[in-house]
Structure formats: C-alpha cells, structure tokens
Amino acid sequence: MEYTRRRLLATVGGLGSAAVAGCLDRVTGERHARVAWHRQTEGTVGALALADGTLAVLTMWRLLGFDTGGTERWRVLLDDPDDTVCYDSGLDVGESTRDGELVYVSGCDSTRAVRLDGTSVWKAPDVTSLESITAADGTVYVSGGGLTALDGTDGSVRWTARKDTDGLTPAGATADTVVVGSDSGTVNALAAADGTERWHTDLGAHRTQTPTVDDGTVYVATSVPAEERGELVALNAADGRERWRVDTGQALAGSSPVVTGETVLLGTASGSLHAHRRDTGDQRWRFDAADWLVTQPAVGPDGEVAYVGSNDGNCYGVSVASGEQRWSVPVGYSSVTPVVDEDRVFVGSHDGLFALDRE
C-alpha cells in the first residue's frame, strides 16, 4: 500500500468520531507550553507555504492567509464544499516579475495565482493537478496530463512536455533544469527553457517521488508499495548517471528529500526520518516516530533542527547532527510538511493550524 495524503484523509475519516474526538481532547485539553497559537481552519490542512510574513494555508476548499501572529487576513473560496474535494496539496510560492511574491495553487479545475493580500492575479482553467506544484525562477510547473510550465506572472503556457502522460511526480526545478519522476520508475530531466528532454534514467520497478535538485545532484526517493519498502537514490544532474542508492522505508507520495549542509533527510511512510551523507549515501542516523508516516521535514534557518509531523499525532523537533529528539508537541494527525521562520514552526493537521515556538 502506498501512503498518500489523500489516503490518510480517508483512513482518519474511517476511524470514527470517538477516535477523532479523543485526538482533539488530547490536543486542546491541556495546551502544550510550546504552542504559541492554534486556529481552526474549517477543513483539514493540505499544504502550507510562507512568503514575506504571510502564511498561506490550503484546505480542501479554501486558501487562507494568516499573519505569523495567527490573525486571519483573507480567504479565497476555491470550490463549493458540497462538490468533490479539489484542493488539498497543490500550493507553492514564488516570484512574479510584476507582482513580487505570489501564492500559486492548483486543483481539479484550474491553476491560479493570488497576491499576498488575497487578490486574484490570474487563472489557468485548462491546467489542473491534484498533486503538489513547483514554482521556480518565475515559472510554475504543474504535473497533470503531462508537465506544463506556466509563466508565473500571467499564467500563460510556456510549454507542455510528456503530454497526456499520467503518473508524473511534481517537479524538482532549478533555473535551467526541471526533473520529474514517474510511477513507472523513470526520472526525466528537461530544459527549463522549452521542455526538451536532456536525459532519462530508469530506476527499475520502483515508483519515484518528487526529485530534489541541489548542487549538481538529483536526489529522488522511491517506493515499492506492494512490499512497503523504498530507496533513496542520487543521480548526476548533468547526465542522469547513478551515484549511489540506499534502502529506506517507503517514501510518502509527493514528498521530496531535503538537503541541509552535507546531509540528505527523508521522511517515510513507515514512520522514520532518515539522514544520509549527501556524497556517499551512508546513513548518519534514523529517527523513529511512534506510528507510521513521517512527513517531509522542514529545517530551521540555523540548520540545526529538522521538524516533522506524523500520523502518531505529534510534531517533532529532531537534531540534524545526531537524530536525537529535541522535543515533541501533540498537534493531531499530520501529513503536511511544516514551514519555519526565525521564531516558529507552523504545522497543519486534521485539528487545524498550529504555531510552535522553536526555542
């Protein structure tokens, strides 16, 4: 079984009201000293992004804008709550040449851009995805029926590659290269300028997840759902040649490896956070949560602590150097990558939005 955010929603929904109520009582009955504030969001948080002091929060039907003190500044209704859930993960922020930083959001009816005050900038109705999207260097990459590159300023289509291809991952991108994985186990690198293919590498009978491109290397996690296992693989960004691969737990669908210093971090659906040397792949340490599923980590500005949510209902602060647990805070079931600023960690869960003091 491959664990995805959408599967987690279904799983928790099937637990029954007693289980959910118990989780809510545990979280709100006695507020943890590290919780700076907690807000209900009228729906499960599917993705978070932080830009210029604005915390963008994507739920199943709405995009909400909070300041970092917890005040809701605006909200955009993306879909009718009585309709099919169309938005729960397609969110990113990036620079527009005309509007500065924008929030980009994609669902089953469109991809759109919103200013940091909640004002709509553009909408691309024919470009849709229920997966994460990627904004990089003025371009928004959307994987759905192929890979489409949109101009971040006006939403116009720059190019479409691998058209009508299903099972593509969200993209990892730099200024000149875009890399996508696939359900079939291939990793493809494309030119950011026009979408032409530069190379492709077949990783075997592994479903690949969202690649990360960093300093000449592509890091990609894989999963074999039937066997509940996976690998972390490093490829040469210039030609796709494999540098190393190591066994890990099954990667959470849509998650990416996170590079910090000389370490690559990977959260898994088997409940572990893995740390590996970026040059050789050798394992530095492994941190185990109390239940399955650890999210893609977020790393603080000082690079010393990684923050992850988990299905066990906690957000953890974990030492990047040693893997030692610094602290844990009950926040409810979370499959969402936290976001971090200088002072706080922002966590989305089935119980709403939490701001946790880092120190």
Side-chain angles (χ1 to χ4, degrees), residues 8 14 25 64 80 124 127 136 146 150 170 182 184 199-200 203 240 275 306 315 333 343:
L8 181 65
D25 289 342
L64 310 175
D80 187 333
V127 182
L150 300 176
S182 72
S184 63
W199 53 259
H200 72 273
L203 298 182
C315 177
Y333 303 101
D343 301 311

Side-chain angles (χ1 to χ4, degrees), residues 110 126 128 184-185 242 330 341:
S110 66
D126 297 325
T128 64
S184 63
E242 185 175 312
D341 67 8

Side-chain angles (χ1 to χ4, degrees), residues 100-120:
E101 285 192 290
L102 295 176
V103 179
Y104 300 103
V105 58
S106 186
C108 64
D109 73 331
S110 66
T111 299
R112 63 179 79 188
V114 177
R115 292 191 182 95
L116 298 184
D117 62 2
T119 304
S120 179

